[in-house]
Amino acid sequence: NFMLTQPHSVSESPGKTVTISCTGSSGSIASNYVQWYQQRPGSAPSTVIYEDSQRPSGVPDRFSGSIDSSSNSASLTISGLKTEDEADYYCQSYDGSTFWVFGGGTKLTVL
Amino acid sequence: QLQLRESGPGLVKPSETLSLTCTVSGGSITSTNYYWGWIRQPPGKGLEWIGNIYYTGSTYYNPSLKSRVTISVHTSRNQFSLQLTSVTAADTAVYYCAPIQPGGNWFDPWGQGILVTVSS
């Protein structure tokens, strides 16, 4: 089955920019949309990016998403890091047929 | 604006059946826009898609759970439900429900989640 692979953890300082990758195991990641969810401890996930690069209302423009077909990966970039951005981030996609999949999640530490 | 809430027992014995209900408010479960999904998260681990249902009863299941999962829809109550049979400690998790947004096939908004512990 289709799988999405994320780094286990990333860390960066406040005010800096961090990028989290999400690599597809097979096929073209560009064939189906990728979403990104933020999950703070004890809370349900919430969407920060949908359809590769779209931001829901209320999500600051410090959050952006992109697709790189050459590496078969999606990326979530957070600029101007704030301590409140510290959370787990999950990518998610769909195989185009019958299967929805999440990446393993990346713990972002802002220190 | 859609809101979803999970309900059901927080403790299930090994080998028994886990049963949860998701109640939808702020919209109709018979909307042609959405599939309705279940996702779970074991303590300290990542998210796992369980399955989806359309208001007509059409379902998709994660192949790794398919033999034990049934998702049903109850249109008169604006609810859908999850049954997971023959549970073990590995099924201990927070269970979430969410609608699947058309187009991008993304889950939003999520219910608050319910912790289900499998233990004797």
Side-chain angles (χ1 to χ4, degrees), chain A residues 7-110:
Chain A
H8 181 69
S9 63
V10 295
S11 61
E12 190 49 271
S13 303
K16 299 291 190 179
T17 297
V18 70
T19 297
I20 300 172
S21 63
C22 171
T23 302
S25 62
S26 61
S28 171
I29 201 166
S31 297
N32 295 286
Y33 287 120
V34 175
Q35 280 67 236
W36 291 90
Y37 304 97
Q38 177 191 68
Q39 186 179 36
R40 295 192 174 101
S43 297
S46 63
T47 309
V48 292
I49 294 290
Y50 67 96
E51 294 181 357
D52 295 342
S53 59
Q54 303 302 304
R55 272 189 317 276
S57 59
V59 173
D61 60 5
R62 302 185 295 105
F63 290 79
S64 63
S66 63
I67 298 291
D68 181 353
S69 297
S70 65
S71 60
N72 207 38
S73 64
S75 294
L76 171 69
T77 298
I78 311 171
S79 60
L81 274 170
K82 300 184 177 183
T83 54
E84 67 204 46
D85 298 331
E86 188 162 289
D88 294 327
Y89 291 86
Y90 294 90
C91 59
Q92 175 260 314
S93 190
Y94 164 66
D95 75 349
S97 178
T98 62
F99 190 75
W100 282 255
V101 64
F102 291 92
T106 299
K107 180 178 179 61
L108 170 62
T109 301
V110 181

Side-chain angles (χ1 to χ4, degrees), chain B:
Chain B
Q1 180 175 341
L2 285 173
Q3 289 187 308
L4 286 78
R5 174 169 287 190
E6 306 85 353
S7 60
L11 181 64
V12 180
K13 290 183 168 55
S15 79
E16 295 190 345
T17 296
L18 179 159
S19 297
L20 297 174
T21 297
C22 182
T23 301
V24 178
S25 59
S28 173
I29 202 165
T30 60
S31 168
T32 57
N33 289 331
Y34 304 114
Y35 270 79
W36 305 92
W38 286 100
I39 306 103
R40 71 179 183 177
Q41 184 174 36
K45 296 188 178 180
L47 301 167
E48 179 180 33
W49 170 67
I50 299 172
N52 308 330
I53 191 165
Y54 196 53
Y55 78 95
T56 57
S58 174
T59 53
Y60 295 109
Y61 295 135
N62 188 321
S64 69
L65 297 169
K66 187 174 184 177
S67 64
R68 299 194 293 129
V69 171
T70 302
I71 298 176
S72 306
V73 64
H74 316 285
T75 55
S76 62
R77 300 197 296 268
N78 225 35
Q79 295 175 334
F80 63 106
S81 61
L82 168 70
Q83 288 196 314
L84 182 65
T85 62
S86 304
V87 297
T88 69
D91 296 309
T92 294
V94 176
Y95 287 76
Y96 297 99
C97 58
I100 298 170
Q101 299 290 334
N105 283 287
W106 47 295
F107 299 91
D108 191 88
W110 296 57
Q112 64 186 16
I114 183 169
L115 173 62
V116 179
T117 301
V118 178
S119 175
S120 55

